[in-house]
Amino acid sequence: MSDIASRVKAIIVDKLGVDENEVTAEASFTNDLGADSLDTVELIMEFEKEFDIQIPDDQAENIGTVGQAVSFIEEAKK
Amino acid sequence: MKLKRVVVTGLGALTPIGNNIDEYWDGLVNGKSGAAPITHFDAAKFKTRFACEVKNFDINEYIHRKESRKMDKFTQYAMVVSDQAIENSKLDLETLDPDRVGVIWGCGIGGIDTFEQEVVNYANGDGTPKYNPFFIPKMIADIAPGHISMKYGFRGPNFTTVSACASSANAIIDALNYIRLGHADIIVTGGSEASVTGAAMGGFNALKALSERNDDPATASRPFDKDRDGFVMGEGGGALILEEYEHAVARGAKIYCEVAGGGLSADAHHLTAPHPEGLGAAKVMENCLENAGLSIEDVDTINVHGTSTPLGDVAELKAIQKIFGEHAYKLNINSTKSMTGHLLGAAGAIEAIASVLAMENGMVPPTINHHVLDEKIDPKLNLTLNKAQKREIKVAMSNTFGFGGHNACVLFKKLEA
């Protein structure tokens, strides 16, 4: 697992209170990991802080799974 | 319309002297002080460096982190005590009509710790707002009953009362009246507060409201003592299940006592100082007695507001003597704040519980830390000094007064057979 993926995973485990093994690339924040709309907003903010990036609202709407978050961050950090 | 009768059928408490009802009562009758040096934040530069904190408490033992992290501490305390009270009441959640169960909570300040953290975080940044989406729903004072309703599915009346240190007495009185009027069968009521924080301690220090007896915290809360120098900040919560009498009887509930009545008044005098003659305080006891249909001779005990401030304690006793006359000498007057400190918006709840338990156990908890009586206080009054006193209690009064001049008074009475 890439460094980015493991840091993303750690944030999700911390914020959503889920088990590590539930945080798969395909897992949806809302459908699989129990996040509500506020949790999702918080996750995006945590990603911005952790990776020192900006995630505009219109792009945040496209980040619904763990894998999508990792891809977005990897792209932003290139 | 005929008002319905209301009884207490469940209790829960998380206090600086005990983390459940049994521990709390044990602390009360044994005169235990909850005061100690502050551990919640670095108070080294503060005028007051001690408080009555909740001890040996880990929220993870009660609620999953997934939920608790969305709550300020005042809401976490609310969850713990409401759970205790609901369990204690033995309510059958399966058969209960959730539309007939409400939650009316008291909180004077709300999530001030959350507020501080978020604002400090913003102030330390570059001006870009990075507020957490849970900031507002953690901070607002009404969120605790919201969380309780969501946990249990209670869809009856739901709100928080805010009247500073009278908040949870106001909540209890509202709960009483809503059940009396038939709006609900059961109301989970009480209050919680978590204000042992830098901003709260600094703010109350600036008001000169807090004791600064840093060399001896355990004796700092000393209501009626000549050398009292302010109140001691406390934190925690208390919950009571108020239930319509027939409803409680029908399900075979244990009934602690009846909530006989509530009184409400304002000082209309000063932001923080009580009326020197205790006008509002006298009025609230008078209208509480009237509301309960009781006379002064019926009252056995008064758990006073008695915060250990120079002005407040004297004004309240003057008010008691004005209303009760000669009967004042037959009362057991006590201030449990001498042990718990002042839980602000939760004070009315944990003190109401103290009154209910005193009645239940036939024992009046003491006013501890008494050394020398203030010469402005009538020495013939029985202030239940230093040691608990045995007494058969039929009617117990509980007073709470808040900054802004809000006064609330509740009367509990033994259920007549």
Side-chain angles (χ1 to χ4, degrees):
Chain A
M1 198 189 295
S2 72
D3 169 55
I4 287 176
S6 64
R7 283 155 73 193
V8 164
K9 192 171 185 171
I11 289 170
I12 295 169
V13 167
D14 179 48
K15 294 299 172 193
L16 301 184
V18 290
D19 278 344
E20 255 187 51
N21 53 21
E22 292 178 70
V23 189
T24 59
E26 302 74 37
S28 153
F29 298 137
T30 50
N31 297 333
D32 301 316
L33 302 176
D36 65 16
S37 56
L38 296 179
D39 290 309
T40 314
V41 174
E42 191 187 29
L43 278 180
I44 296 294
M45 287 182 60
E46 288 299 317
F47 297 150
E48 289 182 326
K49 198 162 75 182
E50 174 73 17
F51 297 103
D52 194 22
I53 55 172
Q54 295 295 321
I55 308 178
D57 288 351
D58 56 342
Q59 295 186 44
E61 284 167 16
N62 299 322
I63 302 175
T65 68
V66 179
Q68 285 165 354
V70 173
S71 305
F72 182 93
I73 295 162
E74 282 174 346
E75 195 59 34
K77 294 302 281 183
K78 267 184 187 166
Chain B
M1 86 185 264
K2 193 173 180 310
L3 293 179
K4 294 177 188 300
R5 290 172 76 189
V6 179
V7 293
V8 178
T9 58
L11 301 172
L14 177 63
T15 75
I17 60 169
N19 293 359
N20 56 51
I21 286 295
D22 291 342
E23 285 178 22
Y24 177 44
W25 177 248
D26 194 58
L28 286 176
V29 282
N30 291 306
K32 180 178 174 182
S33 167
I38 287 172
T39 65
H40 290 348
F41 70 98
D42 180 3
K45 292 184 178 168
F46 282 66
K47 280 186 187 159
T48 298
R49 298 183 289 279
F50 62 94
C52 288
E53 294 178 341
V54 168
K55 295 158 194 75
N56 306 315
F57 176 75
D58 177 5
I59 189 63
N60 295 310
E61 290 173 16
Y62 300 87
I63 313 173
H64 194 284
R65 216 187 77 78
K66 183 175 156 49
E67 297 303 322
S68 67
R69 70 176 200 85
K70 297 176 188 173
M71 300 169 184
D72 184 89
K73 237 189 298 187
F74 90 93
T75 301
Q76 296 177 355
Y77 294 165
M79 299 312 285
V80 171
V81 296
S82 55
D83 284 353
Q84 287 178 4
I86 289 165
E87 190 187 336
N88 182 243
S89 71
K90 298 195 165 63
L91 282 171
D92 183 355
L93 298 169
E94 299 297 316
T95 59
L96 214 54
D97 177 356
D99 291 329
R100 299 287 302 163
V101 186
V103 186
I104 301 180
W105 208 248
C107 180
I109 295 186
I112 191 166
D113 187 42
T114 298
F115 183 83
E116 281 176 58
Q117 287 176 21
E118 290 287 331
V119 171
V120 165
N121 185 37
Y122 173 69
N124 288 338
D126 65 0
T128 312
K130 291 284 184 191
Y131 289 98
N132 189 288
F134 295 106
F135 167 29
I136 301 297
K138 275 171 81 175
M139 178 196 72
I140 49 182
D142 58 286
I143 207 73
H147 275 287
I148 296 167
S149 72
M150 283 178 261
K151 174 164 184 174
Y152 289 99
F154 297 152
R155 290 192 293 264
N158 191 290
F159 56 91
T160 283
T161 51
V162 179
S163 50
C165 308
S167 297
S168 51
N170 272 109
I172 292 167
I173 294 167
D174 277 11
L176 164 69
N177 286 331
Y178 275 65
I179 298 173
R180 273 175 166 174
L181 293 169
H183 294 300
D185 296 326
I186 295 167
I187 293 182
V188 180
T189 187
S192 58
E193 201 81 81
S195 294
V196 183
T197 74
M201 293 299 294
F204 279 101
N205 261 155
L207 285 171
K208 305 258 178 226
L210 297 176
S211 167
E212 296 175 17
R213 198 180 295 275
N214 292 298
D215 58 348
D216 193 7
T219 73
S221 186
R222 47 173 78 193
F224 317 126
D225 188 87
K226 192 176 178 2
D227 297 323
R228 67 191 182 280
D229 70 331
F231 78 80
V232 177
M233 183 73 85
E235 62 164 359
L240 302 92
I241 306 297
L242 263 51
E243 187 166 354
E244 192 269 319
Y245 172 69
E246 300 291 346
H247 191 276
V249 169
R251 71 178 182 91
K254 173 190 162 62
I255 294 173
Y256 285 91
C257 62
E258 181 167 3
V259 189
L264 302 161
S265 78
D267 272 11
H269 171 67
H270 185 268
L271 287 180
T272 56
H275 189 284
E277 298 305 313
L279 278 190
K283 196 75 211 162
V284 82
M285 289 185 269
E286 192 175 39
N287 67 36
C288 189
L289 285 161
E290 190 189 331
N291 186 260
L294 293 169
S295 60
I296 53 173
E297 292 80 14
D298 294 323
V299 180
D300 296 297
T301 63
I302 305 180
N303 192 352
V304 291
H305 187 56
T307 58
S308 185
T309 58
L311 294 177
D313 294 2
V314 171
E316 186 174 7
L317 291 180
K318 276 187 191 169
I320 288 172
Q321 293 199 275
K322 183 177 171 204
I323 295 301
F324 287 87
E326 282 298 308
H327 186 71
Y329 300 121
K330 295 181 184 159
L331 294 165
N332 261 98
I333 296 169
N334 68 324
S335 171
T336 48
K337 286 191 183 80
S338 58
M339 297 171 274
T340 63
H342 187 359
L343 274 66
L344 308 182
I350 67 157
E351 288 163 27
I353 292 166
S355 293
V356 172
L357 291 173
M359 192 178 280
E360 178 85 359
N361 291 285
M363 185 72 90
V364 186
T367 306
I368 66 164
N369 294 326
H370 189 75
H371 300 88
V372 184
L373 191 69
D374 184 336
E375 61 269 14
K376 293 192 282 297
I377 291 173
D378 185 341
K380 285 188 290 179
L381 291 170
N382 179 0
L383 303 175
T384 324
L385 298 173
N386 296 329
K387 272 206 151 95
Q389 291 177 15
K390 255 188 138 117
R391 176 163 185 163
E392 167 97 10
I393 302 167
K394 287 199 179 108
V395 174
M397 178 179 265
S398 180
N399 280 343
T400 46
F401 312 139
F403 280 177
H406 324 290
N407 308 304
C409 176
V410 188
L411 274 162
F412 297 95
K413 82 171 178 190
K414 249 192 185 144
L415 197 66
E416 286 150 23

